[in-house]
Amino acid sequence: SLSFHFQLHYESLMIYYTIREILKRIKGKILIVVPNINLVIQMGGDFKKYGWDCDELTLLCAELKKDVDFSKRVLVSTYQSLLLKETDFFEEFEAVIIDEVHLAKEEKKLTKILQTSINAEYVLGYTGTLPDPILSRMNINAWIGDVLGIITAKELMDRQILSPLQIVNLLIKYPDSFIKMNKNRSFPEEVSLVENLEERNIVIDKILDHQAPGQNTLILFTHLNHLALVEKHILEKYRK
């Protein structure tokens, strides 16, 4: 078996290149295992974005509610859907790829899939987060193999593959009067209060105003309603 582990958040692109190369070398099928339904759908969308017409790809998860064409050469599925399959189902796969392999450190998730994939010449695991506990890492290595490749984001930036990144931590201090007035609120109430506080947008404005022309800005949110409020603010202030 063969195992690649990369500390990188773009596993889908690396998996894409890997399966395209493996398909040239084998006559059978490739199984890609992901930890949740969202990644099944995302993986299919990513492959299409990378330029693959996906005629050889099929997706398996209950939420898609469509017939699955198991004759196609590449199957993307979750552990949960695969655990319902009979053992002979896995015999046709000549390559098995485990995405986010650090989440599969529980032996029961890997046992059935890898023990019954008896014809898999290639067994690979991808992760951006290698587990720290030695037993978890040993369990993954036992099923997939040793770590053969580790590359950090810094090394990729040094190679000019990734854009340079500088992290600046901004601490927003609220007025003492505001803290005193709201200190006895419940946590959900505090979250709602903070998300609806217009003054917070001033910080976003200052960041956006210092962006050089042509640069992109990514803003992440926990809640959709907060996203909608900030989107409205930005569009009203900056749309020309």
Side-chain angles (χ1 to χ4, degrees):
S1 66
L2 180 63
S3 174
F4 292 156
H5 295 252
F6 291 91
Q7 291 185 334
L8 182 61
H9 296 293
Y10 301 101
E11 286 101 344
S12 67
L13 180 58
M14 305 182 76
I15 291 173
Y16 170 74
Y17 282 121
T18 301
I19 64 171
R20 294 303 298 270
E21 184 62 32
I22 291 176
L23 286 172
K24 299 175 185 177
R25 304 185 181 196
I26 65 173
K27 296 181 179 179
K29 300 178 181 179
I30 299 175
L31 173 63
I32 303 175
V33 186
V34 298
N36 58 58
I37 295 163
N38 290 335
L39 285 177
V40 172
I41 300 170
Q42 178 184 318
M43 189 76 70
D46 285 349
F47 288 174
K48 186 174 182 179
K49 180 177 67 177
Y50 299 148
W52 200 19
D53 57 17
C54 296
D55 285 343
E56 296 181 290
L57 176 71
T58 191
L59 308 178
L60 172 62
C61 64
E63 276 65 15
L64 290 178
K65 299 184 184 303
K66 68 175 184 179
D67 294 332
V68 179
D69 185 357
F70 290 109
S71 66
K72 295 188 176 182
R73 296 188 68 195
V74 180
L75 170 66
V76 182
S77 181
T78 61
Y79 293 100
Q80 289 78 7
S81 296
L82 292 171
L83 290 176
L84 301 175
K85 297 297 181 183
E86 298 296 329
T87 55
D88 59 356
F89 171 81
F90 300 94
E91 295 178 3
E92 60 185 331
F93 294 105
E94 295 184 26
V96 178
I97 296 174
I98 311 293
D99 188 26
E100 303 290 355
V101 72
H102 64 281
L103 298 177
K105 54 183 177 290
E106 296 180 14
E107 183 176 344
K108 61 183 180 181
K109 287 187 174 183
L110 287 174
T111 299
K112 179 178 180 179
I113 296 172
L114 295 181
Q115 274 191 339
T116 54
S117 300
I118 58 176
N119 295 312
E121 180 181 357
Y122 300 91
V123 179
L124 303 99
Y126 288 79
T127 179
T129 312
L130 287 169
D132 289 328
I134 186 65
L135 289 178
S136 297
R137 190 174 298 195
M138 288 175 63
N139 185 54
I140 293 174
N141 291 348
W143 286 110
I144 299 179
D146 293 332
V147 178
L148 298 184
I150 297 179
I151 188 166
T152 64
K154 182 181 184 305
E155 184 177 349
L156 290 170
M157 283 187 258
D158 291 341
R159 295 185 187 180
Q160 298 184 340
I161 297 173
L162 293 182
S163 298
L165 176 66
Q166 181 181 9
I167 298 175
V168 178
N169 186 29
L170 298 179
L171 181 62
I172 303 174
K173 182 172 176 57
Y174 295 93
D176 292 339
S177 58
F178 178 85
I179 296 173
K180 183 177 180 180
M181 182 174 60
N182 297 290
K183 66 178 181 178
N184 293 322
R185 293 181 182 272
S186 66
F187 180 72
E189 288 176 331
E190 286 184 359
V191 171
S192 178
L193 181 69
V194 167
E195 290 181 346
N196 286 275
L197 191 64
E198 277 288 331
E199 287 81 354
R200 282 172 57 91
N201 294 334
I202 297 174
V203 178
I204 296 177
D205 292 342
K206 289 184 178 296
I207 294 173
L208 295 178
D209 290 341
H210 283 81
Q211 289 288 86
Q215 287 188 334
N216 295 322
T217 302
L218 173 65
I219 306 176
L220 303 178
F221 298 88
T222 301
H223 301 113
L224 289 175
N225 60 328
H226 188 203
L227 183 152
L229 290 172
V230 175
E231 178 187 33
K232 181 175 181 293
H233 169 81
I234 291 175
L235 290 176
E236 290 176 351
K237 183 175 177 62
Y238 294 97
R239 177 179 279 173
K240 296 180 179 180

